[in-house]
Amino acid sequence: QNSHFQYFSHMPWLALPIEEATGARGQHLSDKYKVKGIPTLVLVDDLGQTITTDARNKIPQDRAGIGFPWRSPLAQLYSTLFPRSLRMVVKLQIDNVRTKMVNKLKGLVGFGKKPVSA
């Protein structure tokens, strides 16, 4: 907790409140973005897609923002060539397929089913 407040006092960006950072939400975000230490700064775009998980190091290295938003060249090309509306449709379709696949796999392995009483 002390380290959270110590880091937070020097960060020019917002952070999760300590209760959320150490709770389920913090754990979910930590798992999703593969956080290895604190402080960590992850940039996401308007669709929630990861721009970089290394913003904490990129900001001091590029204070003028010349390389911003620090996307991979392929992601930058994708964002430039395809309008936001099309990217949103594609993201929704991918999320829908992913959800169906996860639910199907859970059904196959019996995840979340109550044991049958004899």
Side-chain angles (χ1 to χ4, degrees):
Q1 187 172 3
N2 285 342
S3 63
H4 177 83
F5 291 117
Q6 183 180 10
Y7 284 123
F8 189 69
S9 68
H10 294 93
M11 291 186 295
W13 54 80
L14 298 176
L16 287 175
I18 187 71
E19 301 80 25
E20 286 187 56
T22 58
R25 186 175 192 187
Q27 185 61 51
H28 171 75
L29 292 171
S30 181
D31 294 343
K32 179 175 182 172
Y33 297 112
K34 298 171 182 61
V35 173
K36 293 181 178 83
I38 60 168
T40 295
L41 179 62
V42 176
L43 295 182
V44 295
D45 65 16
D46 57 337
L47 297 177
Q49 299 298 308
T50 304
I51 294 172
T52 183
T53 58
D54 193 31
R56 165 79 170 80
N57 294 317
K58 298 229 183 245
I59 289 172
Q61 294 170 358
D62 185 14
R63 289 190 181 270
I66 294 169
F68 184 79
W70 310 300
R71 291 182 189 268
S72 72
L74 185 58
Q76 188 66 39
L77 182 64
Y78 174 73
S79 294
T80 302
L81 291 178
F82 298 101
R84 183 182 186 279
S85 57
L86 180 58
R87 293 191 330 258
M88 178 83 99
V89 168
V90 169
K91 180 183 184 316
L92 290 172
Q93 291 297 321
I94 290 171
D95 289 347
N96 187 27
V97 168
R98 182 184 309 137
T99 300
K100 286 180 181 179
M101 288 176 62
V102 167
N103 289 339
K104 182 76 168 175
L105 288 171
K106 285 180 180 179
L108 290 173
V109 297
F111 185 79
K113 291 184 179 179
K114 294 182 180 178
V116 177
S117 301

